Each structure stands twice: as C-alpha cells, then as structure tokens.
C-alpha cells in the first residue's frame, strides 16, 4: 500500500476534474434527465404530467417494442461473434511477418474509416434491385437468372444489415486485438515451442489467456455499439420490410420526431439498462478489478 | 495546478457559450432542399432585403424530410428564438400547431390585408388549429398518374384508363409486348417502401374504392372491406399481375420511381407533380412522351389524390415576429408564387396563379392540376398523425411483402392505431 501526501492527492484530483465535469455534463445529466423524463407524460402537444410507470406499462404491452428488442438482440447475437471471429483471424494474420504488412493493415482499416451513414448508402447501392453490384454479379456468374430483391424479406434485410455491419466494424476488432497480440512477449512462444507445443496448443495455452482481457474489451465495445445500431438501419432499410429491422434506437427516435419525448425516453431507459447489465457482465467476465493488482 | 485547471474549465465554457449569440434583428429562415432550391431561396431573400431593408439569414437544412423535421423539433422544444420562420410538411402542421409552437397569424393577416380566398381551400382544412390560422401553403402536392402517351397511342389507346381494372389490362398488355425489347420494363411504378409516401399511396388506392381512414368520436376504422380490397389490389400489382417490380415495397420512394420511369422503364408512374419538370428536362428519355391524368379508381369509386406540400409558419418563440410575417407575406405573394412555379416548377399554394397567362403558357399542365388540388384528400389532421402513420406504414408494408394477409394487417393496424388514439386523446 502506498501513501499519498495531501498535495499529491489534490493534484491528482485536479487532473481528473475536467474529465469528471465533462462526463457529468455530457453523460450523467442527460442520462438522469432521460430517466426523469420517462416518468412523465412529456408530449409536445399535451400538458406535461407526472405519470410514474405509465410509459413503461404501455411499453410492455407494445408489440412493436418487443419486435424492436427481438431485432436488436438477434442483431447483436449474430453480428458481434462474426466480427470477433473475423477480427481475430485478421489480427492473427497481420501479427505475423506477412509481406506488405503495413499496407495490408491500412487496407483492413479502410471500412472503419468510412462513416456508417455513408457505408450504409454504399451497401444500399450494392443491394439495389435494378443496378446493384450484387445482382450484377449474380446474373453474370450465372448464380441467378433474374435480379433478386435482397432486402425484400425479413431474413434478407436482416442479413443485409449484418453483412454491412460486419464489413464496417471487423477492422475495429482487428485493431484492438492486434494491439493485444503485440503486447504478448515473444519469449513465451519460443518457450512453448521448446516444450514441443504445436500451433493450436500455443494458440490455446498462450495466445488466448493473454488476449482475453483485450478480447473482452473488444466484445464490450462491439456489443454496446451493436445495441445502439441506428445509422445503418436508418439508411439501408428504414426499419422495413414490415418493421422487421426496426432497432430499439430507431424506434425511440421515431417517438422523439413525433413529439412524444416521454415514451421515447422510456425506450431509451430500457436500452440503457440492457447496456448497463451487459457491461457489468462483461466486466465481471474480464475481471478488470484484478488487472490493477 | 488546481487553479490552472479551473481556469481551463472556465475558459472552455466561455468559448462554448460564446457561440450562442442571438441573431439580432435579422429574420432567420430555416429551409432545406436540393441545391437548386436553396439557390432559389437565396435569390428570393436578397430580393426581399432589397425591397424592405430587412435582413434574412437562411439556416440551411438537409434535403431529407425527417431530418428537416428533427432540426425544427429540437429548436422549438428548447424554445429557441431561431429560426423565426420555417417551412413544414403538411403532415406536421397539426403537431406543431397543437404543441403551440406556431404563432397565430389571424391578427397579422387582418392588419396586412391578406386575402385568404386567393389560396386553395386546404387553408381551412390543414392550416388551422382550434380555429386559429397557424400556417399558409407555399406549394401544393397531390398524387397524379404519369403515363407514356407514345406507348398508349402505339398500342391503340386514345386515353389513359380510368378504372383500376382497365388499368391492369392495359398495363399487362403493353408490358408483355415491351418486354421483348426491354426485359426490365414494368407496367406501373409507385411508392411502396416503408415510409410516409406509402401511406399517401395506400390512401389513394383505398379512397378510390370508397375506403380510407375513418375517424369518428375517438374511434378509428381501418379494417373495412373496401380497404382490404384496395390493399389486396396493391399486393396483386406486385405479386399476382406482376406489373409493379418486386422491389416496390423495399426501395420504391419518389426518386427511385421517378428515375426508373424517366429512363423509359415503365408505362405508368404514380408520383407528385415535381416529377413533371424533371421528365421534361433535356437529358430525359421520356421528354415529350409523357402526359398526366388523375389516378385511376375502382369501378364503384372515384379518383382520389393525397394532399401533400409544404407550409410556412412563424415560431412562437421568434424574437422578430412582425418582420418574420413580412417575409412570410412576401413568400406567399403573387409575384413570389409565380416565380416558384416558373423557376422551380413547384405548384403554388395560391389559386390565382393558376389563371396567370404566362404561367399557363409555360406550364400548361398546371391547368389540369388545379382541379386535382382542389379535391385532394388531406391525411388525418391530428397532432399524433405521425404515430398513426407509423402503424400504417408498418402493417401496409408487411402486407405488401406477403408477411401478413391484407385482412390481418389491417385489423392489427386498426387495433394499434386505436391504442395510439387512446394514449393521445387522454386529458
């Protein structure tokens, strides 16, 4: 245990104070405001009124809300594992001394550098029925005889969004894991080789345990991010067909546009609670508390 | 160290809030749209400043309707003094009015001697909230049928079909023939993606069969035989007759429909009047080959067009209301409205411009549109119309995709719309 002098302590608090104030104003207060608002009938064209759990009661009877939860959770369950697995594979490859490594690393990053709204438009064009690349290739390669309406079924629209998201965010996972991989001391591998281990054993016994904290961080970021999915859906499918791809944040946004801020807040609070629970689970999994000691 | 960081924080906030100065006595006008529209407004604003000496600052908004609305909702909800004056889609006027975000215009109108009879009757249908006038129409939209007059003539039709039955026969026949030359040719393009435009299209089909959205004493009726039949017909256009493309319910919005038709890929198109000028542009394949007509109807009904368009209003929180009204009056004046028609090809909200010789000479189709506008059907004038529309969009789109049968879709939509009403009609 170390002891700090009072002035040392004061100084360290002074350093984190600006950040704390920033978080207080731009994170905590809005979250608190949303919480409070969710207990009100806050509709632009009606008298503001305290209604306690009325918004939530209605929410839990709202079939579209369950639809949005179902889509959002399915989206996380499918897209995040794909991104983690692909990201891990790319990171492992790029961590080896492959030719043109620098160039390849830059290439892998490219999709991540494109704003989601723009990559959404990009994929919209790829999936376009009349002049999209996907249909062009399918017809040219003889996979199908006529154009396919890719985003026309619930499953198609769902997969379209998953593909676009995996394409965009796998680089993010790659970068984080790459950083984790490069921090593993090379000696451990040499030693493992001396002990006669094969590649799989080294991956299982050396890489994975040491990569785990970083992996959990990547998982955490990706899960929370996927939970909030908005831009891609907004651009690519607008929540259709028949509401099949309406995410929680898109659903909340619609109420906001229509002037029903109370109900929109209640949806956001649910989103927040899910994100909070997931974060706690991940942090417990990663045992971050032990990392400091 | 402690002091330094405090100074840093204070200066940070000083800088952040310095950006929030008022705009003094200039009028701020929020408007979005395509680049040529913005250019038009900029010229107009300069003209206004030359005439009156009042400065107007344009707050440029995006083109997307939802984003334009979002920008306004944020400012108005926060009670900001800017923008002073702005354009609204007809579908939000009731929400903005009921939220008391709009300055009543009655007194200004009296003082400035503006004659409301010069405008279409829609002023009385959608621009009033609780008897107070809160907005005025800048331009009007209504769904119309565009058709290839060259193809109709070639296949022996002298007039476009009037009933949906004749319409399908005609489209099937010509599509079959045209496919030999153009494999991607379709009989009929319309807006079926899950968005507001779908509700407008559905309303036209349904109302042309004597159906629609029936609202009476807080009860909504959607699951009517006439509506089911109309929705089934929309489904059939795509999946049974196949005269509308399979991407109708996923991708087809105004621009997708317009571009496809303009490339010569279709016989009929349902669109708003804005497409007219673009179809007649130099690089358009269908230039000189298009004409317009009222939308077809079911044998027992009559042709119906959904009312669209944009309206101008003044913010309740404006700090320059009387100047803002002068600008509003300028925008809806005869001269400006005529310019709007001639320069942008928009349809003026003023009736009297439709009798203007010069306008009729250069835009002869406006003569046909006048009667369509006079009879256009407004969407329900409710502050919570958006929520009703969300329900409709969702279920109509689900029916078009084949996920639900028209009957199930409409009965679920009715139930959910009823919940929406229950929620927002409480005191």
């Amino acid at each position: 245990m170390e002891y700090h002098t009072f002035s040392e302590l004061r100084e360290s608090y002074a350093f984190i104070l600006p950040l704390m104030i920033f978080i207080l104003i731009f994170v905590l207060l809005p979250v608190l405001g949303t919480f409070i608002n969710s207990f009100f009938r806050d509709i632009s064209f009606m008298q503001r009124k305290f209604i306690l759990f009325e918004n939530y009661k209605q929410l839990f009877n709202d079939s579209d809300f369950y639809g949005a939860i179902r889509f959002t959770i399915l989206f996380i369950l499918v897209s995040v594992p794909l991104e983690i697995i692909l990201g891990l594979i790319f990171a492992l490859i790029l961590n080896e001394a492959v030719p043109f490594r620098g160039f390849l690393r830059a290439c892998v990053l490219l999709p991540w550098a494109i704003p989601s709204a723009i990559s959404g438009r990009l994929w919209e064009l790829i999936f376009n029925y009349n002049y999209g690349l996907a249909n062009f290739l399918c017809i040219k390669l003889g996979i199908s005889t006529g154009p396919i309406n890719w985003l026309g079924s619930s499953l198609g629209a769902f997969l379209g969004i998953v593909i676009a998201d995996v394409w965009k965010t796998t680089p993010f996972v790659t970068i984080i894991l790459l950083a984790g991989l490069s921090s593993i001391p090379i000696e451990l591998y040499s030693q493992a080789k001396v002990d006669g281990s094969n590649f799989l054993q080294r991956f299982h016994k050396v890489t994975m345990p040491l990569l785990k904290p970083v992996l959990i961080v990547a998982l955490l970021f990706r899960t929370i991010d996927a939970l909030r999915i908005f831009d891609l859906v907004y651009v690519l499918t607008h929540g259709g067909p028949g509401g099949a791809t309406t995410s929680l944040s898109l659903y909340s946004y619609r109420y906001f546009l229509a002037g029903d801020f109370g109900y929109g807040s209640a949806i956001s609070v649910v989103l927040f609670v899910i994100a909070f629970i997931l974060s706690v689970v991940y942090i417990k999994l990663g045992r971050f508390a032990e990392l400091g000691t | 160290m402690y002091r330094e960081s405090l100074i840093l924080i204070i200066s940070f906030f000083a800088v952040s809030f310095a950006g929030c100065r008022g705009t003094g006595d200039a009028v701020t006008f929020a408007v979005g749209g395509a680049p040529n529209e913005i250019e038009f407004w900029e010229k107009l604003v300069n003209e206004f400043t030359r005439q009156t000496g009042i400065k107007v600052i344009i707050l440029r908004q995006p083109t997307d309707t939802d984003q334009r609305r979002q920008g306004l909702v944020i400012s108005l909800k926060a009670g900001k003094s800017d923008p002073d004056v702005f354009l609204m889609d007809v579908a939000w006027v009731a929400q903005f009015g009921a939220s008391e975000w709009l300055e009543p215009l009655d007194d200004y109108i009296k003082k400035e001697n503006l004659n409301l009879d010069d405008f279409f009757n829609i002023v009385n249908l959608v621009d009033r909230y609780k008897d107070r006038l809160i907005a005025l129409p800048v331009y009007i939209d209504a769904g119309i049928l565009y058709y290839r007059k060259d193809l109709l003539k070639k296949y022996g039709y002298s007039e476009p079909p009037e009933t949906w039955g004749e319409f399908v026969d005609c489209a099937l026949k010509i599509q079959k023939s045209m496919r030999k030359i153009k494999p991607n040719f379709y009989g009929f393009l319309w807006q079926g993606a899950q968005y507001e435009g779908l509700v407008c299209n559905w309303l036209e089909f349904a109302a042309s069969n004597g159906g629609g959205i029936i609202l009476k004493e807080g009860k909504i009726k959607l699951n009517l035989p006439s509506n089911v039949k109309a929705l089934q017909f929309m489904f059939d256009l795509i999946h049974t007759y196949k005269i509308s493309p399979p991407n109708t319910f996923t991708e087809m919005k105004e621009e997708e429909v317009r571009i496809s038709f303009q490339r010569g890929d279709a016989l009929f198109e349902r669109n708003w009047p804005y497409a007219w000028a673009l179809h007649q542009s130099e690089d358009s394949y269908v230039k000189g080959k298009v004409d317009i007509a009222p939308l077809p109807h079911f044998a027992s009904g009559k042709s119906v067009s959904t009312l669209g368009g944009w309206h101008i209003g003044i913010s309740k929180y404006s700090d320059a209301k009387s100047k803002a009204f002068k600008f509003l009056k300028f925008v809806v004046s005869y001269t400006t409205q005529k310019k709007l028609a001639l320069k942008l090809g928009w349809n003026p909200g003023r009736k009297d411009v439709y009798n203007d010789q010069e306008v009729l000479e250069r835009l002869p189709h406006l003569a046909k549109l006048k009667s369509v506008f006079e009879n256009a059907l407004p969407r329900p004038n409710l502050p919570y119309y958006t929520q009703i529309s969300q329900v409709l969009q969702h279920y109509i789109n689900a029916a078009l995709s084949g996920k639900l049968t028209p009957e199930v879709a409409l009965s679920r939509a009715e139930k959910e719309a009823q919940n929406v009403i229950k929620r927002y009609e409480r005191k």
Side-chain angles (χ1 to χ4, degrees):
Chain A
M1 194 69 169
E2 279 177 67
Y3 290 93
H4 298 279
T5 63
F6 177 66
S7 75
E8 264 178 355
L9 265 181
R10 202 179 64 169
E11 206 163 272
S12 48
Y13 279 120
F15 273 118
I16 54 170
L17 188 67
L19 183 67
M20 291 322 260
I21 292 181
F22 192 83
I23 290 178
L24 180 80
I25 294 179
F26 292 104
V27 180
L28 274 176
L29 286 184
V31 167
L32 201 69
T34 307
F35 254 104
I36 294 172
N37 226 11
S38 71
F39 299 119
F40 279 87
R41 185 179 76 186
D42 183 8
I43 299 167
S44 66
F45 46 87
M46 289 171 92
Q47 197 77 43
R48 192 180 156 92
K49 197 171 134 191
F50 180 71
I51 50 169
L52 200 63
F53 294 119
E54 203 61 36
N55 283 328
Y56 291 96
K57 246 189 244 163
Q58 187 179 346
L59 203 55
F60 293 121
N61 283 317
D62 180 348
S63 63
D64 282 355
F65 168 69
Y66 289 111
I69 289 209
R70 197 165 43 239
F71 166 75
T72 310
I73 290 187
L74 266 177
F75 173 73
I76 296 174
L77 288 179
V78 177
S79 69
V80 175
L82 273 174
E83 283 155 16
I84 296 288
I85 292 168
L86 283 174
L88 185 61
I89 293 172
F90 285 145
L92 286 171
I93 294 171
L94 291 175
N95 197 40
E96 297 304 313
V98 286
F100 308 113
R101 190 164 72 161
F103 176 72
L104 285 177
R105 281 186 180 183
C107 282
V108 160
L109 253 187
L110 220 55
W112 177 247
I114 299 172
S116 306
I118 295 174
S119 59
R121 281 263 180 267
L122 216 87
W123 282 95
E124 193 190 15
L125 283 176
I126 291 175
F127 290 130
N128 187 286
Y129 181 78
N130 286 319
Y131 36 84
L133 183 69
N135 274 336
F136 175 79
L137 287 179
C138 279
I139 293 170
K140 276 274 177 268
L141 298 175
I143 296 170
S144 92
T145 48
I148 299 166
N149 190 17
W150 297 100
L151 305 176
S153 65
S154 304
L155 182 69
F158 177 78
L159 290 179
I161 289 168
V162 167
I163 291 170
D165 193 67
V166 168
W167 177 80
K168 189 192 150 44
T169 45
T170 299
F172 170 78
V173 179
T174 308
I175 289 299
I176 289 198
L177 296 184
L178 204 51
L181 282 177
S182 51
S183 71
I184 300 176
I186 200 98
E187 293 81 21
L188 289 178
Y189 288 105
S190 328
Q191 209 161 349
K193 272 184 201 162
V194 170
D195 292 341
S197 63
N198 62 28
F199 173 78
L200 273 181
Q201 282 170 327
R202 285 199 298 279
F203 177 73
H204 189 63
K205 297 283 183 198
V206 181
T207 313
M208 276 320 269
L210 289 169
L211 200 59
K212 193 179 146 200
V214 185
L215 206 60
I216 299 278
V217 171
L219 258 172
L220 176 68
F221 273 122
R222 278 313 310 144
T223 310
I224 304 295
D225 224 29
L227 189 65
R228 300 179 313 179
I229 181 159
F230 177 83
D231 28 21
L232 212 50
V233 180
Y234 184 82
V235 174
L236 207 53
T237 63
H238 248 266
T245 57
T246 302
S247 71
L248 271 177
S249 39
L250 184 63
Y251 194 53
S252 147
Y253 169 77
R254 285 187 177 154
Y255 277 94
F256 164 78
L257 259 196
D260 193 341
F261 305 105
Y263 200 60
S265 298
I267 301 169
S268 300
V269 167
V270 172
L271 200 61
F272 175 82
V273 169
I274 298 176
F276 188 79
I277 293 172
L278 283 174
S279 308
V280 170
V281 170
Y282 277 131
I283 288 171
K284 280 263 185 270
L285 273 178
R287 302 214 184 87
F288 286 113
E290 290 170 25
L291 284 180
T293 57
Chain B
M1 192 59 226
Y2 198 64
R3 229 184 53 207
E4 276 90 333
S5 56
L6 264 182
I7 292 170
L8 233 139
I9 294 161
I10 292 165
S11 45
F12 169 74
F13 286 108
V15 171
S16 333
F17 290 120
C20 311
R21 277 179 297 119
T23 43
D25 44 43
V27 172
T28 45
F29 173 48
V31 72
N36 65 323
E37 295 171 22
I38 298 290
E39 204 182 309
F40 173 82
W41 288 113
E42 275 166 357
K43 275 190 196 143
L44 201 70
V45 157
N46 289 339
E47 175 66 31
F48 175 71
T49 308
R50 234 192 340 270
Q51 283 181 21
T52 60
I54 297 170
K55 214 179 146 212
V56 178
I57 298 168
I58 289 184
L59 302 177
R60 192 173 170 171
Q61 296 185 299
T63 313
D64 182 85
T65 305
D66 271 356
Q67 285 171 26
R68 287 172 75 167
R69 182 180 188 179
Q70 177 187 339
L72 292 175
V73 169
I74 291 172
S75 304
L76 292 165
K77 167 78 175 163
K80 280 175 68 175
S81 61
D82 291 323
D84 296 304
V85 54
F86 43 80
L87 293 191
M88 295 164 280
D89 188 297
V90 63
W92 336 322
V93 174
Q95 182 208 338
F96 281 30
S99 304
E100 306 211 350
W101 287 340
L102 298 172
E103 176 77 4
L105 302 175
D106 308 85
D107 294 345
Y108 297 93
I109 298 241
K110 238 179 253 157
K111 216 161 56 192
E112 302 260 355
N113 274 327
L114 212 66
N115 188 2
L116 290 182
D117 294 337
D118 293 336
F119 295 87
F120 281 102
N121 186 44
I122 61 163
V123 169
N124 298 315
L125 299 174
V126 299
D127 286 324
R128 288 186 189 282
Y129 185 72
K130 287 188 177 158
D131 277 347
R132 283 170 305 179
L133 189 75
I134 46 172
L136 281 174
V138 175
Y139 68 94
I140 301 192
D141 263 343
I144 45 175
L145 183 74
Y146 291 82
Y147 64 92
R148 288 281 298 277
K149 57 181 177 189
D150 58 329
L151 292 180
L152 283 191
K153 207 175 147 199
K154 188 177 157 194
Y155 290 94
Y157 294 89
S158 54
E159 293 285 320
E162 281 182 19
T163 65
W164 287 119
E166 296 162 18
F167 180 88
V168 170
D169 292 340
C170 168
L172 271 175
K173 186 179 146 194
I174 297 182
Q175 174 178 296
K176 200 176 161 204
S177 248
M178 285 298 291
R179 285 263 169 103
K180 287 171 196 151
I181 326 163
K182 274 192 171 201
N184 285 328
F185 189 88
Y186 277 98
F188 183 33
L189 303 177
W190 46 283
Q191 294 84 31
Q194 188 180 338
Y195 80 119
E196 184 59 35
L198 172 60
V199 179
C200 299
N201 277 249
W202 170 76
L203 201 58
E204 284 161 355
F205 282 107
S208 76
N209 194 29
I213 303 170
I214 313 293
L215 275 163
K216 220 179 191 175
E217 288 155 8
K219 285 264 179 281
I220 190 165
K221 279 263 168 281
L222 294 170
N223 190 13
L224 310 164
S226 51
N227 287 348
V228 173
K229 191 178 159 196
L231 187 53
Q232 181 65 47
F233 178 70
M234 291 165 82
F235 175 89
D236 289 340
L237 285 174
I238 306 169
H239 303 278
T240 314
Y241 311 127
K242 298 190 189 335
I243 56 173
S244 298
N247 60 337
T248 298
F249 62 91
T250 50
E251 289 170 348
M252 285 301 183
K253 298 187 188 175
E254 286 87 0
E255 275 297 89
E256 284 78 5
V257 166
R258 181 196 55 89
I259 291 167
S260 227
F261 184 82
Q262 196 158 321
R263 283 199 314 219
D265 289 345
L267 173 65
F268 293 111
E269 171 196 21
R270 182 269 173 211
N271 216 330
W272 306 99
Y274 87 99
W276 176 262
L278 295 160
H279 287 334
Q280 300 301 340
S281 63
E282 279 311 314
D283 58 350
S284 162
Y285 174 81
V286 297
K287 182 173 191 269
K289 300 174 183 165
V290 196
D291 209 343
I292 52 173
L295 289 162
H297 53 81
F298 287 89
S300 57
K302 60 179 181 41
S303 170
V304 179
S305 296
T306 305
L307 177 72
W310 288 71
H311 294 239
I312 190 166
I314 295 173
S315 163
K316 187 114 187 174
Y317 307 106
S318 161
D319 53 0
K321 284 176 189 158
S322 60
K323 280 178 184 164
F325 184 78
K326 287 214 169 71
F327 181 68
L328 184 151
K329 193 184 156 197
F330 178 75
V331 170
V332 299
S333 68
Y334 190 91
T335 336
T336 307
Q337 292 270 298
K338 189 173 158 183
K339 263 188 214 163
L340 213 68
L342 294 178
K343 296 259 165 69
L344 290 178
W346 285 357
N347 313 292
R350 281 180 83 107
K351 255 193 317 200
D352 46 5
V353 180
Y354 293 74
N355 302 327
D356 188 287
Q357 273 312 312
E358 195 191 345
V359 170
L360 285 178
E361 250 166 53
R362 287 192 36 202
L363 305 164
H365 72 291
L366 280 190
K368 275 190 193 173
L369 286 177
K370 192 182 172 192
S371 68
V372 175
F373 292 153
E374 267 168 343
N375 299 312
L377 178 70
R379 284 158 273 174
N381 195 27
L382 300 165
Y384 48 86
Y385 166 70
T386 310
Q387 284 90 331
I388 304 262
S389 166
Q390 294 293 352
V391 172
L392 283 169
Q393 287 171 34
H394 176 153
Y395 286 102
I396 294 169
N397 191 256
L400 293 185
S401 73
K403 237 171 98 179
L404 300 172
T405 65
E407 202 159 10
V408 172
L410 285 173
S411 81
R412 289 207 197 154
E414 182 177 297
K415 203 176 128 228
E416 284 203 25
Q418 194 58 59
N419 284 337
V420 169
I421 294 176
K422 211 174 100 196
R423 173 171 171 81
Y424 297 109
E425 284 291 350
R426 257 181 312 204
K427 286 291 152 251

